[in-house]
């Protein structure tokens, strides 16, 4: 079960009446996702006074956040939902070729696809994010794949800091992982007492559905170019055709069919939210607080404050607005108005880990960014840094969906909270073991294929994950049961194809206005650089 929030969560929060609390910290960290959350916890454990700020609230005890399959529903769960609309391409004619292109109609509704009602405004492609404690790790698809060693070497080269090297980074993975699926097997390169639980969907659930094991058999036939023979009906038979553990030492470079390791602990989502809360709540034997980690929620940082040491600007604090659902990505049902404002200060560092869109936006609004762009908005330049808001990258995602006439039995009783009772939810809530908790203890995509495209260099560059739903990407309403299982026919299967080692570096985040509650303009400029050698044709 999930740890409920403690007093520390609002210790210096907007609702607090305890003004005697520390108002100056060693470190202030903005954003509690996988970037900021664990860092805040580690700094507090190391003995520093730390304030972690997030614009969102804590939804960690809700089923939307904690039941793994319900990540789907959580992307549409208003209390944590941040809807961005991004451009994949710079020109309208290329954008409009995507059938998921979304418009705002004159009545304020979303319209997806070509031929919107007259007077509609173009929005772009939905990019769901989570504004909540734990950041997007509170609603993401939980897939936990260890990076290639070449990624770490590359970062080491880029930064000139070789502590990013593969050997050192494997050590950090061992420290953070709580591996729960390899007990009794080779655990080298894994950890067992970290804060991040890892587990695939229990294989005994997969073998209950012959249609899923048929997909596994077919995948092996394609990627290994050999017939498997009999479709597996037992875990032992399934294990025989699957490759072992994609996260093992040296394994991440190998192609094959895998079960997807998930950020799941005993059937429940595992995320930085738990690490942060457990650190803030930790007490000594005598009941006093063990670490100084304060968490301020519903607090939207609008500006970084600077002092100067000589000619060099130094971040000393942040300005903020208090309130629920302030950012303009919040759906209207959950949006609110500011209830207060103020400033907070740090003696050592202010660390911005507000995600790939909000970090550059906040830096620019605070005067750090390309001079010409800042001057265009009359923002005083603190430091001319042309790289801020450039080099935005993502793994391009594309779906292959198929349909058969018979149903996936694995989905029986699962309604994604649209019926009361939702039988799969009941099983998840009442099951005594991960296997007993059923389908909702996985992320709905039980199979994964790792593969090399024709242009891959050293490592496989294609990651595919497959599951029994109609998933064609993100658009408003994508997670409605009627869209994932159209016509109620549970015979859909989707393989999502992700291109890793993307060579497109043309993505940008630029200011739309000086209002910090406005979203920036996000343009991925997909395929604009590196196109022909990028494996896109594959
Ligand atoms: C739908 C979806 C599915 C995904 N699936 C996977 C997956 O299966 N596996 C995987 O490895 N990755 C997945 N990802 C990606 C992964 O979740 C992100 O890479 C990761 O969360 C990024 O971490 P972060 O800390 O940089 O930012 P975020 O997680 O975005 O956290 C940023 C935090 O900053 C807060 N914030 C922003 N601006 C401000 C401000 N001005 N003031 C105060 N707080 C602010 C936000 O509220 C948020 O909590 C997925 C992402 C999405 C959106």
């Amino acid at each position: 079960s999930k740890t409920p929030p403690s007093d520390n969560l609002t210790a210096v929060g907007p609702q607090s009446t305890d003004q005697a609390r520390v108002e100056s910290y060693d470190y202030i960290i903005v954003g509690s996702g996988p970037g900021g959350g664990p860092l805040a916890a580690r700094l507090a454990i190391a003995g520093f006074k730390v304030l972690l700020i997030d614009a969102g609230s804590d939804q960690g005890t809700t089923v939307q956040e904690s039941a793994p399959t319900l990540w789907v529903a959580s992307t549409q769960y208003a209390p944590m939902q941040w809807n961005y609309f991004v451009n994949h391409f710079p020109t309208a004619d290329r954008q409009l070729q995507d059938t998921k292109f979304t418009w705002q109609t004159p009545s304020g509704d979303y319209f997806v696809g070509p031929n919107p009602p007259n007077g509609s405004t173009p929005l772009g492609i939905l990019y769901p994010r989570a504004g909540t404690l734990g950041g997007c790790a509170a609603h993401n698809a939980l897939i936990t794949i260890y990076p290639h060693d070449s990624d770490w070497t590359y970062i080491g080269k880029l930064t000139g800091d070789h502590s990013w090297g593969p050997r050192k980074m494997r050590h950090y993975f061992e420290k953070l992982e709580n591996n729960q699926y390899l007990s009794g097997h080779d655990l080298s390169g894994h950890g067992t007492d970290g804060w991040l639980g890892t587990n695939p969907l229990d294989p005994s659930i997969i073998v209950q559905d012959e249609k899923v094991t048929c997909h596994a058999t077919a995948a092996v036939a394609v990627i290994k170019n050999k017939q498997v023979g009999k479709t597996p009906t037992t875990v032992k038979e399934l294990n025989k055709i699957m490759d072992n553990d994609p996260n093992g030492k040296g394994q991440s470079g190998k192609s094959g069919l895998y079960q997807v390791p998930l950020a799941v602990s005993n059937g429940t989502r595992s995320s930085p939210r738990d690490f942060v809360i457990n650190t803030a709540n930790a007490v000594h034997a005598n009941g006093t607080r063990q670490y100084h980690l304060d968490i301020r929620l519903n607090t939207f940082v609008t500006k970084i404050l600077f002092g100067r040491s000589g000619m060099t600007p130094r971040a000393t604090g942040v300005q903020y607005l208090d309130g629920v659902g302030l950012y303009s990505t919040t759906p209207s049902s959950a949006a609110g108005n500011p209830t207060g404002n103020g400033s907070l200060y740090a003696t050592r560092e202010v660390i911005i880990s507000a995600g790939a869109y909000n970090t550059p936006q906040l830096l620019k609004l605070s005067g750090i960014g390309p001079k010409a762009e800042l001057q265009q908005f009359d923002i005083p330049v603190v430091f001319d840094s042309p790289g801020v808001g450039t080099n935005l990258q993502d793994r391009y995602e594309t779906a292959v969906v198929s349909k058969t006439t018979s149903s996936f039995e694995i989905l029986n009783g699962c309604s994604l909270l649209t019926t009361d009772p939702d039988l799969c939810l009941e099983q998840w809530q009442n099951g005594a073991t991960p296997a007993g908790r059923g389908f909702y203890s996985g992320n709905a995509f039980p199979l994964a294929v790792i593969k090399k495209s024709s242009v891959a260099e050293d490592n496989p560059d294609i990651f595919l994950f497959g599951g029994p739903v109609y998933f064609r990407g993100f658009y408003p309403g994508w997670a409605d049961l009627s869209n994932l299982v159209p016509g109620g026919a549970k015979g859909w299967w989707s393989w999502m194809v992700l291109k890793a080692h993307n060579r497109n570096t043309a993505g940008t985040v630029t200011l739309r206005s000086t209002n910090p509650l406005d979203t920036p303009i996000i343009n991925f400029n997909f395929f604009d650089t590196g196109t022909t050698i990028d494996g896109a044709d594959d």
Side-chain angles (χ1 to χ4, degrees):
S1 67
K2 287 272 174 187
T3 318
S6 77
D7 282 353
N8 294 331
L9 277 180
T10 52
V12 292
Q15 298 90 345
S16 171
T17 51
D18 182 3
Q19 294 303 326
R21 286 273 185 179
V22 176
E23 286 187 349
S24 177
Y25 289 87
D26 295 321
Y27 291 94
I28 291 180
I29 297 180
V30 180
S32 64
L39 177 63
R42 291 281 180 216
L43 284 168
I45 291 167
F48 295 103
K49 285 181 193 163
V50 180
L51 174 64
L52 177 61
I53 301 179
D54 204 283
S57 57
D58 179 28
Q59 299 297 323
T61 52
T62 62
V63 291
Q64 282 86 348
E65 181 169 329
S66 50
T69 297
L70 297 184
W71 76 269
V72 168
S74 74
T75 64
Q76 297 187 168
Y77 180 52
M80 58 203 262
Q81 188 180 14
W82 274 14
N83 286 341
Y84 290 86
F85 287 91
V86 308
N87 304 311
H88 281 176
F89 305 107
T91 56
D93 55 330
R94 282 168 81 191
Q95 289 267 92
L96 294 174
Q97 288 177 29
D98 190 331
T99 54
K100 300 186 293 300
F101 190 89
T102 302
W103 307 75
Q104 183 124 46
T105 66
S107 58
D109 296 328
Y110 292 135
F111 179 92
V112 182
N115 308 318
N118 277 344
S120 297
T121 317
L123 289 175
I125 305 291
L126 174 68
Y127 205 110
R129 307 290 287 176
T132 193
L133 183 62
C136 296
H139 83 162
N140 72 15
L142 307 105
I143 295 170
T144 305
I145 293 288
Y146 190 79
H148 294 139
D149 285 352
S150 58
D151 291 327
W152 299 127
T153 308
Y154 176 64
I155 297 175
K157 267 195 200 141
L158 270 183
T159 57
D161 176 354
H162 296 289
S163 65
W164 282 99
R167 208 166 43 83
K168 293 220 163 108
M169 295 311 287
R170 176 57 82 167
H171 172 64
Y172 285 116
F173 181 66
E174 290 166 7
K175 274 180 85 166
L176 75 83
E177 190 188 23
N178 173 9
N179 186 295
Q180 297 172 2
Y181 61 95
L182 284 174
S183 143
H185 294 87
D186 180 12
L187 270 159
S188 55
H190 287 282
T192 51
D193 54 7
W195 56 267
L196 182 71
T198 56
N199 255 312
L201 180 68
D202 196 281
S204 66
I205 298 170
I206 296 182
V207 295
Q208 286 164 23
D209 192 329
E210 196 189 354
K211 278 176 75 74
V212 178
T213 50
C214 263
H215 274 282
T217 315
V220 173
V222 172
I223 57 178
K224 301 209 167 144
N225 199 16
K226 68 171 189 198
Q227 291 304 317
V228 171
K230 180 176 164 291
T231 303
T233 52
T234 63
V235 171
K236 203 170 164 196
E237 287 168 3
L238 181 68
N239 286 343
K240 258 192 180 161
I241 67 162
M242 308 279 278
D243 290 274
N244 273 333
D245 178 26
N247 289 347
K249 234 180 189 169
Q251 185 68 19
S252 65
K254 295 189 184 152
S255 302
L257 172 69
Y258 297 94
Q259 268 202 272
V260 195
L262 303 173
V264 164
S265 185
N266 300 318
T268 299
R269 178 185 289 274
S270 171
S271 86
R273 181 250 177 209
D274 307 324
F275 186 32
V276 159
I277 289 197
N278 290 338
T279 306
N281 284 349
V283 286
H284 293 290
N286 64 3
T288 59
R289 205 171 168 198
Q290 202 170 353
Y291 309 115
H292 200 120
L293 175 58
D294 290 340
I295 305 169
R296 201 177 209 284
L297 299 177
N298 296 320
T299 304
F300 192 90
V301 172
T302 51
K303 196 174 178 188
I304 307 163
L305 301 170
F306 292 96
R308 279 198 178 265
S309 105
M311 287 305 287
T312 314
R314 204 177 73 78
T316 53
V318 294
Q319 269 177 7
Y320 63 86
L321 292 172
D322 289 323
V324 175
L326 299 184
Y327 200 42
S328 54
T329 46
T330 309
S332 52
S333 60
N337 295 313
T339 52
N341 61 66
S343 306
L344 289 154
Y345 295 92
T347 51
R348 283 174 177 263
E349 287 184 42
V350 175
I351 297 167
I352 309 300
S353 44
Y357 307 147
N358 291 72
T359 293
Q361 181 186 18
L362 187 53
L363 286 171
K364 286 181 179 182
L365 290 174
S366 310
I368 299 200
K371 194 171 173 183
E373 187 185 346
L374 303 188
Q375 286 176 337
Q376 184 195 333
F377 287 99
D378 290 328
I379 297 171
V381 179
V382 174
F383 188 73
D384 176 18
S385 184
V388 175
T390 65
N391 201 23
L392 178 72
Q393 301 183 15
D394 201 357
R395 297 179 170 188
Y396 199 79
E397 223 171 42
T398 199
V400 178
V401 181
S402 55
K403 181 172 184 291
T404 53
T405 46
S406 56
S407 292
F408 283 94
E409 286 171 26
I410 207 167
L411 295 179
N412 285 350
C414 303
S415 73
L416 293 180
L417 308 180
T418 56
T419 56
D420 190 11
D422 175 335
L423 296 178
C424 290
L425 181 65
E426 285 195 343
Q427 185 182 1
W428 179 78
Q429 284 169 324
N430 300 326
T433 59
R437 300 184 82 173
F439 187 66
Y440 277 9
S441 59
N443 74 343
F445 292 93
L447 301 179
V449 170
I450 295 176
K451 205 178 142 30
K452 280 190 180 189
S453 76
S454 62
V455 297
E457 289 180 344
D458 298 337
N459 289 301
D461 55 345
I462 303 285
F463 179 77
L464 300 98
F465 56 98
V469 284
Y470 182 171
F471 178 43
R472 64 184 179 101
F474 297 119
Y475 55 94
W478 78 274
D480 295 350
L481 193 65
S482 57
N483 286 326
L484 286 172
V485 187
K490 294 182 174 171
W492 300 93
W493 178 271
S494 303
W495 282 110
M496 284 307 288
V497 189
L498 265 76
K499 172 72 177 73
H501 298 291
N502 197 328
R503 289 176 207 163
N504 181 31
T505 59
T508 57
V509 178
T510 50
L511 291 178
R512 190 186 304 272
S513 76
T514 52
N515 178 358
L517 302 180
D518 240 1
T519 56
I521 299 168
I522 298 153
N523 200 329
F524 278 94
N525 289 314
F526 274 126
F527 307 123
D528 277 5
T529 57
T531 311
T532 52
I533 50 165
D534 204 17
D537 308 355
D538 289 24

